[in-house]
Amino acid sequence: MVKTERIRYIFKTFWDTFGGYKRQILLMSGLGFMGSITEGIGIGSMIPLLSLAGGSSAAGTDVLSQAIQKAFLFLHLPFTIKFILIGIFLMFLLRTVFIFLSNYVTALIVNDFQLNMRKRLFALTLGSRWEYLAKQKMGHLEQSLTTIVDTGPHIFKQMSSLLMLSFALLVYTVLAMNVSVIATLGSLGLVVVSFLILKPLFYRTRAASKETEVWYRDIAHHINQTMIGIKSIKAGAAENAFLTKADQLFTKYKKLDLRLTIINAFIGALSKPLSILFILLLFVFFYKIQGFEYPSFIVIVYAIYRIFNYSEGIQHEVNKLNTTVPYLNSLQDFESDVRKQQEADKGQGQFKFNRAIEFKNVFFNYEGGREVLNGLGFQISKGETIGLIGPSGAGKTTIVDLLLRLYQPKTGEILVDGIDVSLISMREWRKQIGYVPQDPFLLNDSIANNIKFYNPAITDVKMREAATLAQSIDFIESQPQGFETVVGDRGVLLSGGQRQRIVLAKILAQSPKILILDEATNALDAESEQAIKQTIKQLHGKMTIIIIAHRPSTVVDVGRILVLNQGRIVEEGKPATILSDKTSYFYKMYQAGIYGLN
Ligand SMILES: Nc1ncnc2c1ncn2[C@@H]1O[C@H](COP(=O)(O)OP(=O)(O)OP(=O)(O)O)[C@@H](O)[C@H]1O
Ligand SMILES: [Mg+2]
């Protein structure tokens, strides 16, 4: 019972996945079927061939031999050894062509499917909400798009070989029946019995593969984490912990893999002696009971040997299907997950920003977390330079994430010129905001390509301008390769400050309408910070600028300061004005900064 459900499930999975290829599947099956038929005729022709060779003047008495003789008559061909030999050769030649074409169609379908699946999953992943992406494990996506996408669709190849094997089995069964019905039924019975004996092993294979698939992804994740954290790992001499964890993962994987291999080998090994035993019994049966006709005997022994072979092949394929299905399922689950997480963009409107951005009574909490923003309200006029400060964890970056529409407010609105930002096209919106994050990202590529990250069409003049504005031109030009210097993975070959200034340059090269610097100067020395402040001064009025900072010195000469605490703005005003209030948060931070406490 369970088994039929399982088989139905495999077929359903197959059909859900490949149902779109009906015509090709039909073609592949047709070709495979023709391949088997021609092979059957070729082998069947051995009986008349051997009969004639044995000195008999006619073909065998069996139906097939008679039919072949009639076919020769019909085609006006002499029924001689020479022509039968030619016929057999032609049949096998045809068979080869049919089977090749059938495999070719199969390969086309599988590769087409893999390509589309890869493209689809990659696009869907990029299109999903940040909230979902932020929780994904590193390495899992890589694994899905590389190995799993390679393995999963093999279900098609296996299904196709299953079909071919079934055709072949059918043809050899007919061939064997043609000689002796009893012997054929006997061998088919034995096939069923061996299938039943091996059934528990199939279940084991499936369970082990399921586990292997999960383990595979965990290994990818661990390797990925290790590589990302490699500097911290080495710096803290923490290699052992990572090695131990890797050891555990690798060892467990090895055990699972070994178990799979052994089960498969066992299944293969068990069926060989059974088939030899049966052929020996067959010999006794023909010798003692059926009356011995040499040509028929040879053909039926061969046919039954093939029946065993093909049944074994079928078992093997079913077993392989069991190992593949979890991979395909994992892809399907991934796809359906990621489809549910697509970033909804109802906005059609053009980006227009002429007056002000406003956060109006915004409440926000991360899933399952406490309230981060608590009725937050503030306005930023076009062209203003704002300093946003507040204790760590106050929600400063969260405000930026909401502004970038990576998250939506739970209640309240974010308005631009009085219009809800969600009505503006998301791509348009994001393109106008230049964001230098707390943990800047660089490609392992040249400085030039990093500055042109958002738009490869940026001219070299514009690139140099941006680099100059970001106060990075001097150090770039002092590099041996200048703008062609490669920065290493995530920019590891540069200093923290250099990295930040290149990120700033890549943002400025975009000429955004709104510029957000999230702790962008925290890795800079006082002199570079001063230089960046100079940049900001130059940009003043040309862009709307939000500077998030811990160090009050960074924001002391902005137009207006917003102090965030407990999810609300608790202080607001010109820096000098807030500083004159000695009880203010800003004043205390400023004092601490001056006395080197910050
Ligand atoms: N993706 C997230 N999922 C769940 N909670 C988060 C997430 N990001 C931030 N938080 C939580 O939200 C709160 C505000 O975080 P946020 O990053 O906005 O603080 P911040 O003011 O930028 O702090 P800092 O000055 O240290 O950068 C923190 O308590 C943080 O733990
Ligand atoms: Mg932050």
Side-chain angles (χ1 to χ4, degrees):
M1 198 54 221
V2 178
K3 198 173 155 201
T4 47
E5 265 168 38
R6 177 72 201 164
I7 289 175
R8 201 173 306 145
Y9 178 70
I10 291 180
F11 272 94
K12 191 180 141 29
T13 308
F14 172 78
W15 197 246
D16 286 351
T17 320
F18 293 102
Y21 292 97
K22 287 190 197 68
R23 282 208 331 256
Q24 291 94 323
I25 291 176
L26 211 64
L27 181 62
M28 170 205 84
S29 314
L31 288 166
F33 187 66
M34 290 311 292
S36 294
I37 293 282
T38 40
E39 180 177 342
I41 297 174
I43 294 292
S45 308
M46 294 288 182
I47 301 178
L49 181 76
L50 293 172
S51 298
L52 291 179
S56 165
S57 59
T61 49
D62 59 288
V63 185
L64 187 65
S65 305
Q66 295 294 321
I68 291 170
Q69 195 168 10
K70 280 198 187 115
F72 269 78
L73 212 66
F74 179 77
L75 295 169
H76 302 295
L77 292 171
F79 194 57
T80 60
I81 289 185
K82 184 172 129 196
F83 277 89
I84 296 177
L85 278 175
I86 293 173
I88 292 176
F89 178 70
L90 284 180
M91 282 300 142
F92 275 90
L93 204 62
L94 266 179
R95 176 200 175 266
T96 310
V97 173
F98 282 133
I99 296 293
F100 170 76
L101 288 178
S102 173
N103 286 339
Y104 182 65
V105 175
T106 304
L108 284 184
I109 299 174
V110 173
N111 289 351
D112 186 62
F113 180 82
Q114 281 170 335
L115 173 69
N116 289 331
M117 186 103 185
R118 267 204 184 95
K119 284 209 240 176
R120 201 164 62 233
L121 287 181
F122 197 59
L124 282 169
T125 305
L126 286 185
S128 40
R129 300 183 306 145
W130 167 240
E131 193 168 352
Y132 166 76
L133 292 172
K135 288 190 199 130
Q136 295 311 298
K137 284 192 170 175
M138 294 261 186
H140 281 195
L141 175 68
E142 270 166 65
Q143 197 64 17
S144 294
L145 288 184
T146 53
T147 324
I148 301 184
V149 132
D150 261 341
T151 316
H154 277 199
I155 184 180
F156 191 90
K157 276 193 191 144
Q158 289 151 7
M159 276 290 194
S160 141
S161 0
L162 206 57
L163 196 70
M164 300 308 136
L165 290 167
S166 309
F167 286 153
L169 185 63
L170 188 75
V171 164
Y172 277 100
T173 305
V174 170
L175 209 59
M177 288 260 195
N178 175 49
V179 178
S180 163
V181 176
I182 303 177
T184 313
L185 290 181
S187 50
L188 287 176
L190 196 72
V191 165
V192 173
V193 170
S194 75
F195 209 86
L196 291 177
I197 294 173
L198 295 174
K199 204 167 95 174
L201 292 180
F202 292 148
Y203 287 126
R204 277 171 182 240
T205 311
R206 192 167 74 238
S209 324
K210 238 186 197 150
E211 240 179 298
T212 313
E213 193 273 322
V214 173
W215 225 261
Y216 222 56
R217 282 188 293 151
D218 284 349
I219 288 179
H221 176 58
H222 183 65
I223 292 174
N224 215 300
Q225 291 282 292
T226 309
M227 287 331 287
I228 286 173
I230 191 75
K231 189 170 178 190
S232 307
I233 293 170
K234 289 197 94 58
E239 287 97 335
N240 280 345
F242 279 77
L243 284 173
T244 313
K245 173 95 190 278
D247 252 21
Q248 282 168 358
L249 287 168
F250 297 163
T251 310
K252 174 81 183 177
Y253 183 76
K254 177 208 125 194
K255 279 186 189 149
L256 284 169
D257 203 44
L258 191 64
R259 197 194 305 166
L260 266 176
T261 315
I262 291 173
I263 295 172
N264 281 333
F266 192 64
I267 291 174
L270 213 62
S271 36
K272 278 275 180 305
L274 277 180
S275 52
I276 294 300
L277 183 70
F278 191 75
I279 285 169
L280 296 178
L281 287 174
L282 205 65
F283 180 81
V284 175
F285 169 79
F286 270 91
Y287 194 65
K288 296 263 183 210
I289 302 164
Q290 179 95 2
F292 202 76
E293 252 186 72
Y294 183 60
S296 314
F297 178 72
I298 295 220
V299 170
I300 195 171
V301 165
Y302 183 71
I304 285 179
Y305 177 70
R306 297 305 280 182
I307 288 176
F308 278 117
N309 254 205
Y310 286 131
S311 313
E312 194 194 326
I314 286 176
Q315 289 179 8
H316 190 65
E317 285 306 325
V318 169
N319 207 31
K320 274 211 284 197
L321 268 175
N322 274 329
T323 56
T324 317
V325 168
Y327 287 88
L328 192 60
N329 285 155
S330 144
L331 283 179
Q332 288 169 325
D333 291 348
F334 179 41
E335 179 164 2
S336 85
D337 253 15
V338 84
R339 268 190 197 285
K340 283 185 217 128
Q341 299 293 345
Q342 290 305 289
E343 201 164 47
D345 181 16
K346 298 191 200 80
Q348 303 284 329
Q350 289 280 308
F351 176 90
K352 273 194 213 107
F353 173 34
N354 294 315
R355 299 196 308 274
I357 295 172
E358 183 181 6
F359 272 61
K360 207 166 165 185
N361 203 23
V362 170
F363 284 82
F364 179 79
N365 62 287
Y366 290 98
E367 211 180 294
R370 60 174 180 84
E371 215 75 68
V372 177
L373 302 181
N374 251 318
L376 175 73
F378 65 87
Q379 270 210 9
I380 302 172
S381 301
K382 186 177 180 184
E384 244 191 318
T385 302
I386 290 285
L388 180 60
I389 63 167
S392 177
K396 301 181 294 295
T397 301
T398 305
I399 292 178
V400 179
D401 287 352
L402 286 175
L403 199 59
L404 286 165
R405 292 163 64 189
L406 294 171
Y407 294 97
Q408 270 76 47
K410 298 292 164 184
T411 59
E413 320 173 86
I414 303 170
L415 306 168
V416 55
D417 292 358
I419 295 170
D420 198 309
V421 284
S422 62
L423 297 175
I424 297 169
S425 142
M426 191 162 323
R427 280 180 63 81
E428 287 296 309
W429 176 248
R430 287 183 182 160
K431 277 191 165 173
Q432 302 298 341
I433 303 182
Y435 175 42
V436 181
Q438 257 172 308
D439 46 352
F441 167 76
L442 289 174
L443 293 173
N444 187 349
D445 201 339
S446 66
I447 293 178
N449 286 342
N450 269 295
I451 296 181
K452 295 177 182 181
F453 177 77
Y454 289 107
N455 180 9
I458 284 172
T459 61
D460 284 355
V461 175
K462 175 105 189 171
M463 170 185 81
R464 296 183 67 85
E465 259 173 37
T468 312
L469 204 51
Q471 313 289 338
S472 49
I473 192 87
D474 290 345
F475 100 78
I476 294 173
E477 291 195 324
S478 71
Q479 301 286 316
Q481 257 105 33
F483 277 92
E484 291 313 312
T485 309
V486 172
V487 303
D489 257 5
R490 285 159 290 118
V492 286
L493 302 180
L494 301 175
S495 80
Q498 291 167 343
R499 222 177 295 158
Q500 262 172 336
R501 276 178 284 168
I502 291 185
V503 172
L504 182 61
K506 97 173 168 184
I507 299 294
L508 291 177
Q510 275 286 85
S511 314
K513 299 278 188 306
I514 302 164
L515 175 67
I516 304 170
L517 306 173
D518 196 349
E519 299 291 353
T521 53
N522 69 357
L524 301 184
D525 58 9
E527 204 175 323
S528 315
E529 184 180 3
Q530 214 45 47
I532 297 277
K533 277 164 93 174
Q534 202 52 43
T535 306
I536 293 166
K537 253 192 198 137
Q538 284 172 32
L539 294 171
H540 182 74
K542 294 192 191 111
M543 287 177 192
T544 305
I545 306 172
I546 302 172
I547 305 166
I548 298 174
H550 281 134
R551 274 191 288 194
S553 63
T554 318
V555 288
V556 75
D557 42 19
V558 298
R560 193 154 56 100
I561 297 268
L562 300 173
V563 179
L564 184 73
N565 203 357
Q566 314 240 323
R568 291 161 172 270
I569 302 298
V570 291
E571 291 164 23
E572 177 176 359
K574 282 194 167 41
T577 319
I578 316 189
L579 273 183
S580 63
D581 175 0
K582 300 214 166 16
T583 62
S584 71
Y585 173 83
F586 188 50
Y587 177 80
K588 286 179 204 151
M589 291 300 292
Y590 194 69
Q591 290 299 98
I594 285 177
Y595 297 116
L597 299 173
N598 189 16

